[in-house]
Amino acid sequence: KTVCYVTAADSHAYATPANKALEARAKELGIEVLGLSQNFDVQTGTEQLNTCIARKADGIILWPLDPQAYIPALARAQQANIPAILINSPMSDQAKPFIKSFTGPDVYEEGKMAADSLNTALKGEGAVIVIAGQAGNGTTIGRVGGFVDHLKKLGSKIEVLDTVNADFDQQKALVASRDLITRFGDKINGVYANDDTMARGFIDAWKEANPGKPTPPIVGINGQKDAFESIKSGEMYSTIVQSPDEDGKLAINTMAEILDGKDVKDRIPIPLTVVTKENVETTKPAF
Amino acid sequence: MQGISKIFPGVKALSDVNFSVDFGRVHAIVGENGAGKSTLMKVLSGTYLPTTGTTEVGGVEVRMRKPADAQKLGIRMVHQELNLVPDLTVAENVHLGRMPRKWLLVDKAAMVGNAAAVLKELGADIDPKARLGDLSISQQQLVEIAKAYAANPRIIVLDEPTSSLSEHETAALFRILRKMKAQGIAIVYISHRLKEVLEIADDVTILRDGSMIESRPADGITAAQMIKLMVGREVTNVFPKTPSTIGAPVLKVRGLGDGVTFSNVSFDVRAGEILGLTGLVGAGRTEVAKAIFGLSTLTAGSIETHGKPVTIRSPSQAMRAGIAYVPEDRKGDGIIPSMTVRENISLPVLRRLSRFSRVSLSADRKLAAKYAADFSIVPPDPERRINLLSGGNQQKAVISKWLSAKPSVLILDEPTRGVDVGAKAEIHRIIGELVAKGMAVVMISSELPEVLGVCDRVVVMRDGRASPAIERKDLSEERIMALATGEETA
Amino acid sequence: MALLSQIARYRVALILGLTLIVASLLVPGFLSLTTLGLGLDRSSTIGIIAIGLTVLLIAGQIDLSGGAVFALAGIVSIQLQPSLGLWPAACVGVLTGAAAGALNGILSVGFKVNSLVATLATMLIFRSIAHWITASQPVSGTDIMFSLALAKIYFDIFTVRSALFLAAILLLHFWLTRTVSGRNLFAVGSNAIAAEASGISSGKMVFLGFVFASTLAGVAGVLQSLATNTGSPMFGSELTVSVIAAVVVGGTRLEGGRGSALGTLGGVLTIASLTTAMEFQSVPAYVQQVVAGLILILLVVLDRTVRTTARANTRAAVSA
Amino acid sequence: MTDIALSMQDRTNPRFNRGSRLVDTVSRAGLLIAILAVVLYGALASPVFFTTGNLVNVLTSMAIVGIVVVGMTFVLVVGGLADLSVPATIACGAILSLALQPMIGPVPAFVLAVALAGACGLVNGLLVGYVGINPIIATLGVGTIVLGIVQAAVGGVIVYGTDPATAALVKSRVLGIPTIALIFLAIALIGNFVLSRSFWGRWTIATGGNYSAAEASAVPVRAVKAGAFIITALCSGLSGALLGLTLQSARPLVGTGYEFSAITAVVVGGVSIMGGFGSVPRAIAGLVFVQLLTNVMVLQGVRTPVQGFILGLLIAIAVALDVALRKRGVA
Ligand SMILES: Nc1ncnc2c1ncn2[C@@H]1O[C@H](COP(=O)(O)OP(=O)(O)OP(=O)(O)O)[C@@H](O)[C@H]1O
Ligand SMILES: Nc1ncnc2c1ncn2[C@@H]1O[C@H](COP(=O)(O)OP(=O)(O)OP(=O)(O)O)[C@@H](O)[C@H]1O
Ligand SMILES: [Mg+2]
Ligand SMILES: [Mg+2]
């Protein structure tokens, strides 16, 4: 059987290990994977879905970068009787009829968990800055949205000083953080970064500006190795481990079940673990 | 045209000029370089808006904001610089801006037929379907003339149309001009070749420093008078020949060929000698010069300087071999418009002026000042941007540039093309002084009086082949023409 | 030599043919109507923008803002759907493209800003506006069924989009080679001063060229947004480069004065079929990049060398 | 004859004056005034703007892209339009300087990374200078290829640094000034010397001003044109390597966007994209202006899309103004 896998990118810190895990698992299952990389471009992705249909794949695993845009292509896949599932990121409800399942972390959920974590660290009050990913990107939208909504729901008194986009880029986060630190100085009681790379950027900027001064509580996402180090040394408060290996494996396993004719649940989450100083020694970093 | 003034930033090109041309007459405008001739005509043809002044056509005051306005009035201009589109065909160029239509589409057949007819009338053997960019400069010049002529203008302005034409083609042009005159077309003719002016003009206007000096019928005026009015004083000998002692050959070329435009070209140039290289347009003189200077590649032949064989693949190798080349197309190959006169002059010798790769500004300034003074470049300010100078002065700067490299052989390609008499005489004086000091000079020129006037020996080229050198004492206009047209095979 | 210049002349067709042959030999299931239809559909987005860019490049200008206009027009056409209805909103989207083009045109014709810089600036501006009016969130339309209809394949190969693209290419071909304004466009791109001196209003032509290019980018954007029922400020970020590559591979010269509609068609199809073939084989994106880059450079180098030798030949013929 | 010469010399005619100088001064002053205006506004609007910390931040942020700006100036001046392969060469520098560390040690890795980036520039240079391909196409193509190769080489993931000492070195400060800013200063001084004082720079300007005339003046135009691309690649390689060392991590896409930032700075500085005119100080003035403006906007909490909007508007206005001024000066 051949499964068409339209991934976000094939050269990316998170996507690459996820792709590798998916392909390795597929080999074990005896499934051939036709890997296509959108390179973070939705337009490319919609066209690649068409390629999958033309290739008459037996199943499609899509890593959506937009909540809507793939719907017509998915509909076409459905017409061609090709089952499709989503990996890593969800799509809007309108896509539901066209997909069998969505496996992967819930980025909105991650935002909520981050809000919980930061709320705990700050004991429910203070001022924070949010270092967001790329503007318009689905992950960014989910992670920021979940965070903001959940803080409100918690009734937390935490105030967001500013949200800046640093495109999941360490250098951009560094530059943006420098300005934020200049601007708000000691007003910053906490930081939420949409991923650990950008958290790293903030830490570097902080150390530059205030040598020797401890960092405010910083919450990141992804559970990278260096974030674990930072948590151990107290530079970071927490991160959320979202394992790309799990992500990849779960998707292909689910697809295998569909190909075997089994029914699958329409939402299969991968486990998310909040890592703080307490459990950092016992948890495995994501990558 | 009444009270026309035009002020460019830094230059008052025209001040209060009155000019009129009658239908059915040829009106020549003469003046030194930078006198404002082209500017005046660009005002007439709608390229420039005058700063002040008015224009009347057929007794009605008109205001032309763009060339199209002038063209609607039947005014056509052949520009001094070529104004053609290299990527279109000859026929399309001839009909540029007024292509014939059939329904919505271009009427190709009519266009090609019409272009062919006009070109034939001009005596030009050019395929109307050829891409214009593939033609030589002179062929393009003919197309430019054909373009203006084919538009059936009421007023036609020709700005130095013959500067790249042979005597033959000039004669054909004059036939057409006479015919147009008979049809009642008004013709404005700008030229530095006073002989042509005397031959064709009915009226003459003399401009100097942006002002009109005189406007009168051409009857009875002499070249000497015109020159006096142009420069404001008497000039006696237009083509002076400075005596010099001729020494050993400095440059020897044997059997040169580039596989395309010329083959088997051989000649010698001796120290203290001016060797003329003449011929009809497109004979391949420029190509030979460029090849010797390393600007294009040779496929055959050998070059020797001072008796030693040299290989030249680039201008810097040529420079090291002591060869310098002043190109034909001044605007395209001669000057760096964004640089000052000083920076232009020192360009080939920058390395010599540098220590630890730093250019010594004082040495640079000294060099430029020297040439600006020696050649009386006007204005005498080396820090002025070179594109603000008039053509003749630019040419002097380009020659200075190469003299700064202290060459032993200087190749000048049409050094006085489009240059006024005053500047021309001066360039000749400079060349004379150079050969007197023992430099070997190759002068490419299409102007026979000039060739006869200043050259010690002359090589005539025809169809990419060179005649043996003819000694000065054997030279005559007829002989050269015979060789150039192939009536006499040497 | 003659052979070489023939190769150069039809190089796009040759490469395209070669790609198709190799792909159909190596890639199972490549040679089918479905693939062809999908290939055409995928070319049409790039292709429609490429039509506009071909015109602009011939006029001697460049437009980097196409991708941003693509996104902006799409967003406008989606955001206005609830208030205006689908068709009027789509029209406003296209008009947005035209307006963007007018801005480009004013900057580069009116203010004489080099088009590379002008459209670099407007690219930033349009992209920012796209983010601004959407708060960086993708927006979705009201009628998903319409999107599904738009994606439908007729006669096994044409979608609405690809049929539109092919028709537009033919019109372009006709316009560029046969009409007076088409020829004048070449004149403007080849030597604007000469064109102006011959009474062709080159400023106006260039201005219209910008409007045309952006309008087509707008059309492509609106079509894309309708087809996906989404307008997103992220759309088209990778597009400009691919479009420029496709047009240049098709033999249009960046310096102006040369280019053709059929060449652009060839360029667009070549890139699309190459991509499709490589995707069929699941070639990693970075390898695809390397291949695309190599083809671009190879074709341009070939063009360059052959043209210089060919020039020498015609010159010899002229002087003979 | 001599009387002509004489009379021509004393024709110190009132028709002539030096238009160009004035405009040059005005356009240069224009940028300085703009910079002052931003500084003034910043100082009034934000209490933290004039703190040492903030100014040092601006300087540090400026350094990385500033090094690229120095190179890009050469490309624009030589008439090479723009080098779009900068993201690839930056990635090359960043990734290799980190990836090679464990194998050959930090210093050789650094040198090799910059050298390999320079090699990419050589390819650009050969294509543009010797084959005569349009720079946009050549650098676009080469950039795509290099980036593809770099991604393939590292398997598409992040490369981490292994030698924190090198990071400490590039992050250190000398007399309160970040080392990286000093490196930038040094590069800028060298760049300025080469472009404005050396024969190579004069050749660069001449080649950009009129290619065929420069060629006919025995300027090695091909080499000069190629050289500009090599210089840019070396600069961006260096910039990438420094970036990699500061971050201690590098992804293939680290360099995205730097090409546009660099071009923006150079162009806002009034360097003509048509070539033949420009200097490193001008380009850096453009950079300073853009950076300060961005800094003020961030300090004022202006949202990212609005920042982009203002920046775009600014480029357009700056260049249009420059064109207008220049036209008034020299047609
Ligand atoms: N576009 C321009 N900008 C600035 N100065 C100009 C411009 N065009 C011409 N000039 C200046 O105006 C003056 C008159 O120039 P014009 O070209 O009319 O002279 P001309 O009589 O045609 O000379 P030539 O015989 O060399 O062709 C010169 O000093 C020239 O440098
Ligand atoms: N730019 C060009 N493009 C195509 N052909 C050219 C070009 N320049 C010259 N030629 C061809 O090369 C041949 C030699 O031209 P060349 O310019 O050397 O002649 P020339 O004797 O110097 O005449 P001219 O008076 O035009 O300078 C001509 O037959 C011409 O057709
Ligand atoms: Mg003139
Ligand atoms: Mg010649």
Side-chain angles (χ1 to χ4, degrees):
Chain A
K1 299 255 168 161
T2 309
V3 167
C4 195
Y5 171 42
V6 179
T7 177
D10 49 14
S11 165
H12 183 250
Y14 182 86
T16 304
N19 298 347
K20 290 219 173 94
L22 186 144
E23 275 160 26
R25 178 73 186 135
K27 209 174 226 169
E28 287 170 28
L29 294 167
I31 296 173
E32 194 193 327
V33 173
L34 182 70
L36 302 176
S37 159
Q38 309 178 60
N39 257 336
F40 292 115
D41 185 38
V42 178
Q43 163 94 26
T44 312
T46 54
E47 281 157 3
Q48 284 169 335
L49 284 177
N50 288 341
T51 302
C52 296
I53 299 165
R55 252 324 276 281
K56 302 197 172 60
D58 298 297
I60 291 175
I61 302 175
L62 169 67
W63 187 316
L65 301 171
D66 183 283
Q68 276 271 340
Y70 305 90
I71 294 178
L74 288 173
R76 200 182 278 165
Q78 198 180 45
Q79 270 168 14
N81 279 322
I82 306 174
I85 63 168
L86 302 181
I87 175 173
N88 185 276
S89 314
M91 283 178 64
S92 72
D93 287 342
Q94 274 161 315
K96 281 257 167 68
F98 307 109
I99 52 169
K100 297 269 184 232
S101 176
F102 160 43
T103 71
D106 187 335
V107 286
Y108 188 81
E109 186 63 35
E110 286 171 342
K112 281 162 68 177
M113 292 165 88
D116 266 331
S117 185
L118 198 57
N119 195 44
T120 319
L122 296 179
K123 307 200 175 56
E125 58 179 27
V128 301
I129 57 172
V130 177
I131 304 174
Q134 207 163 13
N137 170 289
T139 308
T140 306
I141 295 168
R143 284 181 183 172
V144 175
F147 181 80
V148 175
D149 294 351
H150 196 61
L151 278 186
K152 209 177 277 163
K153 214 175 119 210
L154 286 173
S156 161
K157 287 204 217 56
I158 290 180
E159 169 208 1
V160 175
L161 288 170
D162 198 7
T163 307
V164 294
N165 292 100
D167 302 1
F168 300 114
D169 183 294
Q170 188 178 335
Q171 170 71 7
K172 283 193 183 145
L174 176 67
V175 173
S177 303
R178 279 182 190 137
D179 290 334
L180 289 171
I181 291 168
T182 316
R183 201 167 129 207
F184 297 114
D186 291 336
K187 267 194 255 164
I188 304 173
N189 306 120
V191 177
Y192 166 46
N194 272 184
D195 80 354
D196 291 341
T197 318
M198 295 191 292
R200 179 82 243 153
F202 180 86
I203 295 171
D204 285 344
W206 182 270
K207 282 205 249 172
E208 248 175 48
N210 311 302
K213 200 165 152 192
T215 51
I218 302 169
V219 174
I221 297 181
N222 270 8
Q224 284 167 215
K225 258 187 238 116
D226 66 328
F228 274 50
E229 297 303 319
S230 303
I231 291 173
K232 279 179 207 159
S233 67
E235 283 170 357
M236 252 174 96
Y237 177 74
S238 71
T239 182
I240 299 164
V241 178
Q242 161 194 335
S243 159
D245 283 7
E246 289 295 328
D247 205 358
K249 274 190 221 154
L250 191 62
I252 191 73
N253 283 341
T254 311
M255 182 47 80
E257 284 182 27
I258 293 172
L259 293 179
D260 288 343
K262 288 184 205 145
D263 265 347
V264 293
K265 278 194 288 189
D266 63 354
R267 177 71 185 92
I268 307 173
I270 60 166
L272 296 171
T273 324
V274 178
V275 179
T276 57
K277 218 162 195 158
E278 275 85 70
N279 57 353
V280 67
E281 302 293 344
T282 55
T283 322
K284 216 176 110 238
F287 54 92
Chain B
M1 303 174 83
Q2 282 287 329
I4 303 284
S5 300
K6 175 73 191 176
I7 299 174
F8 289 115
V11 189
K12 185 159 189 192
L14 292 174
S15 56
D16 203 18
V17 173
N18 301 329
F19 174 79
S20 70
V21 55
D22 302 328
F23 289 111
R25 286 177 82 85
V26 178
H27 196 140
I29 304 179
V30 293
E32 288 185 295
N33 287 130
K37 305 180 293 293
S38 303
T39 308
L40 182 65
M41 286 305 113
K42 283 182 181 167
V43 170
L44 176 61
S45 67
T47 311
Y48 292 151
L49 269 178
T51 313
T52 64
T54 55
T55 307
E56 283 176 23
V57 177
V60 189
E61 189 179 327
V62 290
R63 195 160 162 72
M64 294 168 295
R65 304 178 165 275
K66 52 181 192 299
D69 298 340
Q71 283 166 17
K72 276 192 210 107
L73 294 165
I75 304 172
R76 285 275 163 174
M77 177 160 176
V78 173
H79 287 267
Q80 187 171 7
E81 311 85 23
L82 287 171
N83 245 323
L84 297 166
V85 179
D87 289 297
L88 294 185
T89 65
V90 171
E92 283 172 328
N93 268 290
V94 168
H95 295 90
L96 202 61
R98 39 171 220 98
M99 289 188 199
R101 283 168 212 253
K102 203 157 94 192
W103 304 100
L104 274 174
L105 307 184
V106 178
D107 186 350
K108 270 200 184 150
M111 202 163 73
V112 171
N114 196 10
V118 174
L119 285 169
K120 187 151 165 253
E121 200 174 338
L122 276 170
D125 179 22
I126 300 171
D127 177 7
K129 286 187 206 144
R131 188 177 157 279
L132 184 101
D134 292 336
L135 305 181
S136 68
I137 302 241
S138 54
Q139 287 174 316
Q140 296 189 13
Q141 178 78 55
L142 289 169
V143 173
E144 176 91 58
I145 295 171
K147 178 176 148 194
Y149 177 49
N152 290 318
R154 287 207 295 159
I155 304 173
I156 186 167
V157 179
L158 300 140
D159 195 351
E160 307 209 23
T162 54
S163 60
S164 64
L165 297 189
S166 69
E167 314 259 316
H168 257 46
E169 288 154 329
T170 307
L173 174 68
F174 280 11
R175 271 199 306 279
I176 292 194
L177 290 185
R178 293 203 179 91
K179 197 177 124 197
M180 289 165 85
K181 198 167 105 175
Q183 290 165 0
I185 298 172
I187 299 165
V188 181
Y189 190 87
I190 298 177
S191 179
H192 288 299
R193 300 188 182 173
L194 300 182
K195 203 177 123 220
E196 290 176 0
V197 171
L198 291 175
E199 186 182 337
I200 192 82
D202 302 312
D203 305 293
V204 184
T205 288
I206 291 130
L207 288 184
R208 185 166 78 216
D209 289 353
S211 310
M212 198 201 62
I213 300 300
E214 184 158 334
S215 196
R216 53 167 283 183
D219 283 344
I221 197 166
T222 63
Q225 277 173 302
M226 278 196 277
I227 291 170
K228 186 175 170 204
L229 289 168
M230 279 158 65
V231 297
R233 83 209 72 82
E234 213 134 348
V235 178
T236 36
N237 187 0
V238 188
F239 299 117
K241 177 81 192 114
T242 345
S244 62
T245 40
I246 292 172
V250 181
L251 173 74
K252 255 190 203 177
V253 301
R254 288 290 172 271
L256 297 187
D258 71 348
V260 184
T261 44
F262 62 92
S263 61
N264 205 12
V265 171
S266 308
F267 57 80
D268 294 348
V269 205
R270 294 168 297 182
E273 160 183 74
I274 302 177
L275 177 75
L277 194 55
T278 187
L280 292 186
V281 157
R285 297 160 298 175
T286 298
E287 292 299 320
V288 170
K290 282 193 171 173
I292 294 175
F293 191 61
L295 279 169
S296 58
T297 28
L298 282 171
T299 54
S302 61
I303 302 176
E304 271 181 26
T305 50
H306 299 290
K308 277 188 240 81
V310 286
T311 7
I312 296 175
R313 286 210 195 77
S314 69
S316 48
Q317 277 174 338
M319 192 171 89
R320 253 172 273 141
I323 303 173
Y325 171 63
V326 175
E328 168 179 39
D329 180 3
R330 187 168 50 236
K331 199 165 118 194
D333 305 326
I335 60 163
I336 316 279
S338 58
M339 286 182 141
T340 62
V341 172
R342 163 175 63 82
E343 289 165 329
N344 267 284
I345 290 181
S346 58
L347 204 50
V349 291
L350 273 184
R351 276 220 86 152
R352 207 184 65 208
L353 300 183
S354 307
R355 277 192 58 197
F356 305 113
S357 41
R358 183 178 174 280
V359 180
S360 155
L361 267 186
S362 56
D364 196 4
R365 291 215 179 95
K366 220 159 70 196
L367 188 78
K370 170 172 180 301
Y371 284 109
D374 278 7
F375 288 6
S376 48
I377 293 175
V378 182
D381 173 11
E383 299 304 320
R384 195 179 167 80
R385 268 173 55 166
I386 197 163
N387 65 336
L388 296 175
L389 263 56
S390 72
N393 285 303
Q394 289 179 2
Q395 186 70 304
K396 285 191 256 175
V398 176
I399 297 179
S400 315
K401 169 170 87 180
W402 276 111
L403 293 184
S404 72
K406 299 210 163 52
S408 47
V409 186
L410 179 63
I411 307 175
L412 300 153
D413 197 348
E414 309 275 8
T416 59
R417 167 188 287 183
V419 161
D420 67 65
V421 259
K424 196 182 242 176
E426 227 184 319
I427 289 171
H428 288 150
R429 173 185 62 86
I430 292 164
I431 297 173
E433 279 170 15
L434 293 174
V435 288
K437 281 188 219 141
M439 188 176 294
V441 170
V442 179
M443 183 159 98
I444 302 178
S445 172
S446 307
E447 204 182 331
L448 287 187
E450 178 179 61
V451 172
L452 292 171
V454 301
C455 296
D456 294 296
R457 292 186 306 152
V458 172
V459 171
V460 183
M461 283 192 72
R462 186 175 77 85
D463 272 351
R465 266 155 246 266
S467 76
I470 311 165
E471 294 294 331
R472 185 173 173 84
K473 60 178 180 355
D474 303 329
L475 281 177
S476 70
E477 212 157 307
E478 294 70 32
R479 177 100 196 271
I480 294 179
M481 277 321 285
L483 281 168
T485 51
E487 284 155 30
E488 177 191 330
T489 33
Chain C
M1 225 7 89
L3 180 73
L4 207 60
S5 67
Q6 286 300 310
I7 292 182
R9 182 142 183 217
Y10 298 107
R11 65 195 192 290
V12 194
L14 276 176
I15 292 273
L16 179 58
L18 222 64
T19 315
L20 290 178
I21 293 170
V22 171
S24 49
L25 288 181
L26 294 182
V27 184
F30 183 79
L31 211 62
S32 72
L33 273 185
T34 338
T35 319
L36 187 65
L38 292 172
L40 266 180
D41 189 49
R42 105 173 302 160
S43 332
S44 48
T45 299
I46 288 193
I48 292 173
I49 306 177
I51 288 176
L53 198 68
T54 306
V55 169
L56 202 52
L57 286 188
I58 291 176
Q61 308 292 323
I62 196 167
D63 184 358
L64 299 180
S65 69
V69 173
F70 177 85
L72 188 60
I75 289 170
V76 168
S77 74
I78 292 289
Q79 271 194 335
L80 294 179
Q81 269 183 14
S83 47
L84 294 183
L86 195 140
W87 287 109
C91 291
V92 177
V94 173
L95 285 180
T96 310
L103 180 60
N104 285 337
I106 289 170
L107 274 178
S108 73
V109 179
F111 291 95
K112 306 250 176 324
V113 179
N114 179 288
S115 62
L116 195 70
V117 180
T119 57
L120 177 73
T122 55
M123 172 181 85
L124 274 175
I125 294 177
F126 299 148
R127 184 69 70 190
S128 303
I129 296 177
H131 275 279
W132 206 341
I133 62 179
T134 55
S136 293
Q137 311 265 349
V139 289
S140 32
T142 48
D143 188 3
I144 186 101
M145 292 325 288
F146 184 79
S147 311
L148 296 180
L150 207 60
K152 202 172 157 226
I153 298 182
Y154 298 93
F155 307 117
D156 283 339
I157 44 173
F158 294 116
T159 56
V160 172
R161 235 194 313 190
S162 57
L164 211 68
F165 163 52
L166 289 179
I169 277 279
L170 288 180
L171 277 180
L172 179 70
H173 174 71
F174 202 64
W175 178 48
L176 287 181
T177 52
R178 298 291 180 75
T179 67
V180 174
S181 57
R183 299 315 290 167
N184 286 350
L185 184 76
F186 282 89
V188 167
S190 185
N191 185 348
I193 297 172
E196 187 83 44
S198 306
I200 299 169
S201 165
S202 59
K204 200 165 106 195
M205 290 220 82
V206 171
F207 177 82
L208 290 176
F210 275 108
V211 174
F212 184 70
S214 293
T215 307
L216 279 173
V219 169
V222 169
L223 282 175
Q224 168 78 7
S225 284
L226 290 180
T228 54
N229 199 33
T230 309
S232 159
M234 309 282 294
F235 275 2
S237 45
E238 309 285 316
L239 221 49
T240 309
V241 166
S242 329
V243 173
I244 294 178
V247 175
V248 169
V249 162
T252 297
R253 185 171 56 186
L254 272 181
E255 292 83 1
R258 213 182 76 207
S260 73
L262 298 184
T264 295
L265 176 66
V268 169
L269 289 183
T270 304
I271 290 188
S273 50
L274 208 69
T275 322
T276 311
M278 288 195 286
E279 280 179 356
F280 264 50
Q281 292 299 79
S282 175
V283 174
Y286 41 78
V287 179
Q288 289 189 27
Q289 271 182 25
V290 176
V291 173
L294 278 176
I295 295 232
L296 177 64
I297 287 190
L298 275 181
L299 279 179
V300 179
V301 170
L302 179 76
D303 182 40
R304 190 70 223 178
T305 41
V306 175
R307 208 163 286 274
T308 14
T309 40
R311 180 67 35 84
N313 282 359
T314 49
R315 217 195 270 197
V318 170
S319 62
Chain D
M1 268 333 86
T2 35
D3 57 351
I4 291 187
L6 271 177
S7 70
M8 287 185 100
Q9 231 167 6
D10 56 34
R11 232 173 45 169
T12 29
N13 207 303
R15 284 214 295 159
F16 300 108
N17 66 42
R18 287 188 198 171
S20 59
R21 281 295 165 104
L22 183 76
V23 171
D24 199 51
T25 334
V26 170
S27 80
R28 210 178 296 196
L31 193 57
L32 288 183
I33 292 168
I35 292 177
L36 278 179
V38 174
V39 169
L40 212 66
Y41 177 77
L44 291 177
S46 165
V48 287
F49 179 79
F50 247 125
T51 55
T52 336
N54 185 48
L55 295 180
V56 168
N57 278 349
V58 174
L59 197 62
T60 322
S61 314
M62 204 163 78
I64 296 283
V65 63
I67 296 173
V68 182
V69 164
V70 173
M72 197 64 94
T73 310
F74 280 83
V75 167
L76 268 84
V77 169
V78 86
L81 295 176
D83 184 344
L84 300 183
S85 68
V86 161
T89 33
I90 287 187
C92 189
I95 288 181
L96 290 177
S97 68
L98 293 182
L100 296 177
Q101 264 182 11
M103 285 170 258
I104 57 176
V107 177
F110 190 88
V111 173
L112 196 62
V114 177
L116 274 173
C120 305
L122 182 66
V123 178
N124 282 331
L126 290 177
L127 287 174
V128 175
Y130 288 84
V131 188
I133 295 184
N134 183 296
I136 302 278
I137 296 297
T139 55
L140 205 62
V142 170
T144 322
I145 296 171
V146 170
L147 207 54
I149 294 176
V150 167
Q151 292 188 40
V154 299
V157 283
I158 294 189
V159 180
Y160 291 98
T162 49
D163 189 351
T166 54
L169 187 67
V170 287
K171 283 191 214 165
S172 67
R173 291 186 185 195
V174 180
L175 303 173
I177 303 168
T179 312
I180 201 154
L182 291 175
I183 297 177
F184 165 46
L185 193 71
I187 296 289
L189 286 176
I190 296 173
N192 183 43
F193 170 78
V194 174
L195 188 56
S196 299
R197 294 270 174 272
S198 80
F199 68 87
W200 188 268
R202 195 76 76 74
W203 281 353
T204 304
I205 296 172
T207 305
N210 182 348
Y211 183 87
S212 34
E215 185 182 19
S217 306
V219 174
V221 278
R222 283 169 245 272
V224 170
K225 209 154 191 182
F229 286 88
I230 298 173
I231 291 172
T232 306
L234 286 174
C235 285
S236 33
L238 175 66
S239 168
L242 291 172
L243 189 60
L245 291 181
T246 9
L247 301 177
Q248 283 297 300
S249 75
R251 316 166 289 131
L253 298 182
V254 273
T256 319
Y258 279 86
E259 78 281 38
F260 287 140
S261 313
I263 295 170
T264 302
V266 180
V267 164
V268 169
V271 175
S272 159
I273 197 155
M274 301 316 290
F277 172 83
S279 70
V280 170
R282 263 175 174 280
I284 290 179
L287 177 69
V288 169
F289 176 67
V290 171
Q291 293 283 331
L292 282 177
L293 186 78
T294 317
N295 178 257
V296 170
M297 286 195 287
V298 172
L299 293 184
Q300 289 299 95
V302 176
R303 306 225 55 81
T304 325
V306 186
Q307 284 179 30
F309 184 84
I310 292 178
L311 203 60
L313 218 55
L314 215 119
I315 301 175
I317 293 173
V319 179
L321 245 140
D322 193 54
V323 172
L325 273 176
R326 209 169 299 249
K327 199 167 63 183
R328 198 129 314 165
V330 206

